[in-house]
PDB file of all heavy atoms in Angstrom:
ATOM      1  N   HIS A   7      22.662  38.208  -1.132  1.00 90.00           N
ATOM      2  CA  HIS A   7      21.826  39.337  -0.691  1.00 90.00           C
ATOM      3  C   HIS A   7      22.368  40.664  -1.225  1.00 90.00           C
ATOM      4  O   HIS A   7      21.618  41.485  -1.768  1.00 90.00           O
ATOM      5  CB  HIS A   7      21.759  39.356   0.841  1.00 90.00           C
ATOM      6  CG  HIS A   7      21.020  40.509   1.405  1.00 90.00           C
ATOM      7  ND1 HIS A   7      19.645  40.600   1.408  1.00 90.00           N
ATOM      8  CD2 HIS A   7      21.474  41.651   1.983  1.00 90.00           C
ATOM      9  CE1 HIS A   7      19.281  41.736   1.956  1.00 90.00           C
ATOM     10  NE2 HIS A   7      20.364  42.392   2.314  1.00 90.00           N
ATOM     11  N   ASN A   8      23.673  40.876  -1.106  1.00 87.00           N
ATOM     12  CA  ASN A   8      24.287  42.120  -1.584  1.00 87.00           C
ATOM     13  C   ASN A   8      24.187  42.246  -3.103  1.00 87.00           C
ATOM     14  O   ASN A   8      23.965  43.350  -3.625  1.00 87.00           O
ATOM     15  CB  ASN A   8      25.743  42.216  -1.136  1.00 87.00           C
ATOM     16  CG  ASN A   8      25.863  42.474   0.352  1.00 87.00           C
ATOM     17  OD1 ASN A   8      24.925  42.937   0.988  1.00 87.00           O
ATOM     18  ND2 ASN A   8      27.015  42.159   0.911  1.00 87.00           N
ATOM     19  N   ALA A   9      24.343  41.150  -3.821  1.00 85.00           N
ATOM     20  CA  ALA A   9      24.244  41.188  -5.283  1.00 85.00           C
ATOM     21  C   ALA A   9      22.831  41.561  -5.719  1.00 85.00           C
ATOM     22  O   ALA A   9      22.643  42.393  -6.612  1.00 85.00           O
ATOM     23  CB  ALA A   9      24.646  39.839  -5.871  1.00 85.00           C
ATOM     24  N   VAL A  10      21.836  40.963  -5.091  1.00 88.00           N
ATOM     25  CA  VAL A  10      20.442  41.275  -5.426  1.00 88.00           C
ATOM     26  C   VAL A  10      20.151  42.745  -5.135  1.00 88.00           C
ATOM     27  O   VAL A  10      19.535  43.447  -5.943  1.00 88.00           O
ATOM     28  CB  VAL A  10      19.469  40.341  -4.671  1.00 88.00           C
ATOM     29  CG1 VAL A  10      18.031  40.818  -4.803  1.00 88.00           C
ATOM     30  CG2 VAL A  10      19.615  38.910  -5.175  1.00 88.00           C
ATOM     31  N   ASN A  11      20.591  43.237  -3.990  1.00 91.00           N
ATOM     32  CA  ASN A  11      20.379  44.652  -3.656  1.00 91.00           C
ATOM     33  C   ASN A  11      21.094  45.578  -4.621  1.00 91.00           C
ATOM     34  O   ASN A  11      20.570  46.630  -4.989  1.00 91.00           O
ATOM     35  CB  ASN A  11      20.819  44.945  -2.223  1.00 91.00           C
ATOM     36  CG  ASN A  11      19.819  44.441  -1.213  1.00 91.00           C
ATOM     37  OD1 ASN A  11      18.646  44.253  -1.506  1.00 91.00           O
ATOM     38  ND2 ASN A  11      20.285  44.210   0.001  1.00 91.00           N
ATOM     39  N   ALA A  12      22.306  45.200  -5.046  1.00 88.00           N
ATOM     40  CA  ALA A  12      23.077  46.053  -5.954  1.00 88.00           C
ATOM     41  C   ALA A  12      22.373  46.237  -7.291  1.00 88.00           C
ATOM     42  O   ALA A  12      22.403  47.329  -7.862  1.00 88.00           O
ATOM     43  CB  ALA A  12      24.480  45.474  -6.166  1.00 88.00           C
ATOM     44  N   VAL A  13      21.740  45.186  -7.795  1.00 88.00           N
ATOM     45  CA  VAL A  13      21.100  45.284  -9.110  1.00 88.00           C
ATOM     46  C   VAL A  13      19.651  45.742  -9.046  1.00 88.00           C
ATOM     47  O   VAL A  13      19.070  46.083 -10.069  1.00 88.00           O
ATOM     48  CB  VAL A  13      21.176  43.962  -9.914  1.00 88.00           C
ATOM     49  CG1 VAL A  13      22.613  43.545 -10.149  1.00 88.00           C
ATOM     50  CG2 VAL A  13      20.369  42.862  -9.250  1.00 88.00           C
ATOM     51  N   SER A  14      19.078  45.792  -7.851  1.00 91.00           N
ATOM     52  CA  SER A  14      17.653  46.115  -7.778  1.00 91.00           C
ATOM     53  C   SER A  14      17.291  47.281  -6.872  1.00 91.00           C
ATOM     54  O   SER A  14      16.230  47.876  -7.045  1.00 91.00           O
ATOM     55  CB  SER A  14      16.865  44.875  -7.333  1.00 91.00           C
ATOM     56  OG  SER A  14      17.240  44.496  -6.015  1.00 91.00           O
ATOM     57  N   LYS A  15      18.154  47.643  -5.925  1.00 92.00           N
ATOM     58  CA  LYS A  15      17.762  48.640  -4.924  1.00 92.00           C
ATOM     59  C   LYS A  15      18.744  49.787  -4.742  1.00 92.00           C
ATOM     60  O   LYS A  15      18.567  50.604  -3.852  1.00 92.00           O
ATOM     61  CB  LYS A  15      17.540  47.953  -3.577  1.00 92.00           C
ATOM     62  CG  LYS A  15      16.406  46.947  -3.621  1.00 92.00           C
ATOM     63  CD  LYS A  15      16.177  46.293  -2.306  1.00 92.00           C
ATOM     64  CE  LYS A  15      15.040  45.280  -2.445  1.00 92.00           C
ATOM     65  NZ  LYS A  15      14.911  44.442  -1.287  1.00 92.00           N
ATOM     66  N   ASP A  16      19.793  49.859  -5.559  1.00 89.00           N
ATOM     67  CA  ASP A  16      20.757  50.952  -5.450  1.00 89.00           C
ATOM     68  C   ASP A  16      20.090  52.215  -5.992  1.00 89.00           C
ATOM     69  O   ASP A  16      19.739  52.283  -7.168  1.00 89.00           O
ATOM     70  CB  ASP A  16      22.024  50.635  -6.246  1.00 89.00           C
ATOM     71  CG  ASP A  16      23.142  51.630  -6.010  1.00 89.00           C
ATOM     72  OD1 ASP A  16      22.848  52.835  -5.827  1.00 89.00           O
ATOM     73  OD2 ASP A  16      24.310  51.222  -6.015  1.00 89.00           O
ATOM     74  N   PRO A  17      19.899  53.240  -5.147  1.00 89.00           N
ATOM     75  CA  PRO A  17      19.165  54.434  -5.585  1.00 89.00           C
ATOM     76  C   PRO A  17      19.889  55.243  -6.663  1.00 89.00           C
ATOM     77  O   PRO A  17      19.276  56.093  -7.304  1.00 89.00           O
ATOM     78  CB  PRO A  17      19.011  55.245  -4.295  1.00 89.00           C
ATOM     79  CG  PRO A  17      20.128  54.783  -3.419  1.00 89.00           C
ATOM     80  CD  PRO A  17      20.355  53.336  -3.769  1.00 89.00           C
ATOM     81  N   ARG A  18      21.162  54.964  -6.902  1.00 86.00           N
ATOM     82  CA  ARG A  18      21.908  55.709  -7.919  1.00 86.00           C
ATOM     83  C   ARG A  18      21.607  55.236  -9.332  1.00 86.00           C
ATOM     84  O   ARG A  18      21.916  55.932 -10.297  1.00 86.00           O
ATOM     85  CB  ARG A  18      23.415  55.587  -7.659  1.00 86.00           C
ATOM     86  CG  ARG A  18      23.856  56.156  -6.314  1.00 86.00           C
ATOM     87  CD  ARG A  18      25.299  55.819  -6.026  1.00 86.00           C
ATOM     88  NE  ARG A  18      25.439  54.362  -5.894  1.00 86.00           N
ATOM     89  CZ  ARG A  18      26.589  53.725  -5.776  1.00 86.00           C
ATOM     90  NH1 ARG A  18      27.719  54.393  -5.799  1.00 86.00           N
ATOM     91  NH2 ARG A  18      26.625  52.403  -5.656  1.00 86.00           N
ATOM     92  N   PHE A  19      21.021  54.054  -9.477  1.00 89.00           N
ATOM     93  CA  PHE A  19      20.838  53.445 -10.793  1.00 89.00           C
ATOM     94  C   PHE A  19      19.427  52.885 -10.940  1.00 89.00           C
ATOM     95  O   PHE A  19      18.775  52.532  -9.958  1.00 89.00           O
ATOM     96  CB  PHE A  19      21.839  52.297 -11.000  1.00 89.00           C
ATOM     97  CG  PHE A  19      23.260  52.665 -10.732  1.00 89.00           C
ATOM     98  CD1 PHE A  19      23.890  52.262  -9.566  1.00 89.00           C
ATOM     99  CD2 PHE A  19      23.976  53.441 -11.637  1.00 89.00           C
ATOM    100  CE1 PHE A  19      25.212  52.600  -9.320  1.00 89.00           C
ATOM    101  CE2 PHE A  19      25.300  53.783 -11.388  1.00 89.00           C
ATOM    102  CZ  PHE A  19      25.910  53.369 -10.232  1.00 89.00           C
ATOM    103  N   GLU A  20      19.012  52.751 -12.184  1.00 93.00           N
ATOM    104  CA  GLU A  20      17.764  52.046 -12.480  1.00 93.00           C
ATOM    105  C   GLU A  20      17.995  50.557 -12.218  1.00 93.00           C
ATOM    106  O   GLU A  20      19.094  50.046 -12.449  1.00 93.00           O
ATOM    107  CB  GLU A  20      17.370  52.252 -13.950  1.00 93.00           C
ATOM    108  CG  GLU A  20      16.950  53.671 -14.279  1.00 93.00           C
ATOM    109  CD  GLU A  20      15.673  54.074 -13.561  1.00 93.00           C
ATOM    110  OE1 GLU A  20      14.737  53.249 -13.481  1.00 93.00           O
ATOM    111  OE2 GLU A  20      15.616  55.216 -13.066  1.00 93.00           O
ATOM    112  N   PRO A  21      16.975  49.848 -11.745  1.00 94.00           N
ATOM    113  CA  PRO A  21      17.149  48.403 -11.526  1.00 94.00           C
ATOM    114  C   PRO A  21      17.503  47.689 -12.829  1.00 94.00           C
ATOM    115  O   PRO A  21      17.059  48.076 -13.911  1.00 94.00           O
ATOM    116  CB  PRO A  21      15.769  47.954 -11.030  1.00 94.00           C
ATOM    117  CG  PRO A  21      15.123  49.190 -10.502  1.00 94.00           C
ATOM    118  CD  PRO A  21      15.660  50.321 -11.341  1.00 94.00           C
ATOM    119  N   VAL A  22      18.308  46.652 -12.708  1.00 93.00           N
ATOM    120  CA  VAL A  22      18.689  45.840 -13.867  1.00 93.00           C
ATOM    121  C   VAL A  22      17.483  44.993 -14.269  1.00 93.00           C
ATOM    122  O   VAL A  22      16.830  44.373 -13.423  1.00 93.00           O
ATOM    123  CB  VAL A  22      19.900  44.940 -13.529  1.00 93.00           C
ATOM    124  CG1 VAL A  22      20.197  43.976 -14.662  1.00 93.00           C
ATOM    125  CG2 VAL A  22      21.117  45.790 -13.205  1.00 93.00           C
ATOM    126  N   GLU A  23      17.207  44.981 -15.566  1.00 93.00           N
ATOM    127  CA  GLU A  23      16.100  44.177 -16.096  1.00 93.00           C
ATOM    128  C   GLU A  23      16.617  42.767 -16.427  1.00 93.00           C
ATOM    129  O   GLU A  23      17.795  42.574 -16.708  1.00 93.00           O
ATOM    130  CB  GLU A  23      15.543  44.827 -17.366  1.00 93.00           C
ATOM    131  CG  GLU A  23      14.987  46.232 -17.157  1.00 93.00           C
ATOM    132  CD  GLU A  23      13.707  46.248 -16.336  1.00 93.00           C
ATOM    133  OE1 GLU A  23      12.962  45.247 -16.363  1.00 93.00           O
ATOM    134  OE2 GLU A  23      13.466  47.269 -15.662  1.00 93.00           O
ATOM    135  N   GLU A  24      15.719  41.801 -16.406  1.00 91.00           N
ATOM    136  CA  GLU A  24      16.107  40.410 -16.641  1.00 91.00           C
ATOM    137  C   GLU A  24      16.838  40.222 -17.969  1.00 91.00           C
ATOM    138  O   GLU A  24      17.832  39.498 -18.038  1.00 91.00           O
ATOM    139  CB  GLU A  24      14.879  39.504 -16.588  1.00 91.00           C
ATOM    140  CG  GLU A  24      15.223  38.039 -16.673  1.00 91.00           C
ATOM    141  CD  GLU A  24      14.028  37.112 -16.506  1.00 91.00           C
ATOM    142  OE1 GLU A  24      12.970  37.581 -16.056  1.00 91.00           O
ATOM    143  OE2 GLU A  24      14.173  35.926 -16.827  1.00 91.00           O
ATOM    144  N   ASP A  25      16.387  40.896 -19.027  1.00 95.00           N
ATOM    145  CA  ASP A  25      17.029  40.726 -20.335  1.00 95.00           C
ATOM    146  C   ASP A  25      18.417  41.356 -20.407  1.00 95.00           C
ATOM    147  O   ASP A  25      19.181  41.110 -21.336  1.00 95.00           O
ATOM    148  CB  ASP A  25      16.139  41.261 -21.459  1.00 95.00           C
ATOM    149  CG  ASP A  25      15.871  42.750 -21.355  1.00 95.00           C
ATOM    150  OD1 ASP A  25      15.826  43.280 -20.224  1.00 95.00           O
ATOM    151  OD2 ASP A  25      15.696  43.387 -22.410  1.00 95.00           O
TER     152      ASP A  25
END
Side-chain angles (χ1 to χ4, degrees):
H7 176 76
N8 289 340
V10 169
N11 284 337
V13 300
S14 64
K15 297 181 181 170
D16 189 325
R18 299 171 296 173
F19 308 104
E20 291 295 319
V22 173
E23 299 291 332
E24 186 175 346
D25 63 329

